[in-house]
Amino acid sequence: MKKDFISIADYSREELEEIFELTKELKAKTKRGEEHHLCKGKTMAMIFAKPSARTRISFETGMYQLGGYALYLSPNDIGIGKREAVKDIARVVSRYNDIIMARLFDHAHILEMAEYASVPVINGLTDYNHPCQIMADIFTVLEKRGHLKDLKITYIGDGNNVANSWVNLASKLPMHLVICSPSGFEPDDETLTRAREAGVSQIEIVHDPQAAVKDADVVYTDVWASMGQEAEAEKRRKVFMPYQVNAELMSHARKDALVMHCLPAHRGEEITDDVIDGPQSIVFDEAENRMHVQKAIIAKLLCNA
């Protein structure tokens, strides 16, 4: 039976920890310049409905380092759900490639692709979730802190796909997760209910940023208007301005709190220059770790690493 990587919620804590261990090993080999061609001769189709610099660079470079080849398919190459049925694309691409990574808008499309593909499918992002990003994020926290015990992680901003993925992670790894959003912009209700019923973590939804970051070990933010929400950008900017991660807000968190952002950042909006470029920021460490974590996911799915 093939295994996909569609949501963190589909994996056990033990499976996630295995990915982290392999990530650590592959990252160390990369830094030492050691070859690790675990997927030699394998090919990956990268299907993009939503463009992204980091997702393409990290997957394409990572696949090369694993000894394989990644083929980039732009939004103009494959019209997901428009020019051709998703299930037909999944079947055809599976005949050519050993694994598929897709970065899409509609989450239903990634589910359909996984259902009809005969090769593993990795979710590079949908409007609902962003699992590879959060795997890189929590691996980075593990690197910096050395453990994941008793951590308070505060997410400030829109209850978007990144927030949903943090909630999914909290259903598997114990933490104190606080999501702080304006009223009406909270994460997905069903995802929250499922995560709380898992009983693994303490999960809070609050609306006061200063209270949210009190004693926080990690303060995380993301853009206020995601791709596809450009028409709402000005309205959202007014609603979210009190949720900006700036020096004043960080003064209410722990003195050694880590600052994270999944990028791209709209500097001066959700986060200020002095914070993202400051000593507490690990934003560019987490960006690098996207590649290392994704390599581990590919190796697990495709090469039984």
Side-chain angles (χ1 to χ4, degrees), residues 62-111:
M63 192 62 178
Y64 173 79
Q65 292 178 358
L66 289 170
Y69 174 77
L71 173 68
Y72 172 70
L73 297 164
S74 75
N76 292 329
D77 293 318
I78 295 183
I80 290 288
K82 297 177 181 178
R83 201 167 68 205
E84 191 171 358
V86 176
K87 59 185 177 182
D88 292 347
I89 293 169
R91 287 163 168 156
V92 170
V93 174
S94 296
R95 301 291 182 104
Y96 301 142
N97 300 103
D98 301 292
I99 190 167
I100 298 169
M101 186 285 296
R103 180 181 165 92
L104 311 175
F105 284 93
D106 191 340
H107 191 69
H109 287 168
I110 197 78
L111 295 175

Side-chain angles (χ1 to χ4, degrees), residues 137-205:
D137 294 336
I138 200 65
F139 177 78
T140 309
V141 174
L142 179 60
E143 276 189 321
K144 299 299 180 181
R145 287 287 186 255
H147 66 87
L148 299 176
K149 297 177 183 176
D150 303 319
L151 292 179
K152 179 179 178 180
I153 297 174
T154 297
Y155 175 96
I156 304 279
D158 187 26
N160 58 15
N161 49 10
V162 172
N164 287 334
S165 294
W166 272 112
V167 174
N168 276 330
L169 184 68
S171 74
K172 300 297 177 177
L173 300 180
M175 66 183 71
H176 179 189
L177 178 65
V178 178
I179 305 287
C180 181
S181 306
S183 181
F185 293 90
E186 298 86 354
D188 178 69
D189 282 340
E190 186 178 334
T191 303
L192 278 168
T193 299
R194 186 174 61 245
R196 283 171 167 159
E197 288 176 350
V200 173
S201 297
Q202 178 184 353
I203 304 172
E204 294 184 79
I205 303 297

Side-chain angles (χ1 to χ4, degrees), residues 156 180-181 206-213 243 249:
I156 304 279
C180 181
S181 306
V206 302
H207 304 294
D208 180 350
Q210 289 188 8
V213 301
Y243 294 80
L249 183 65

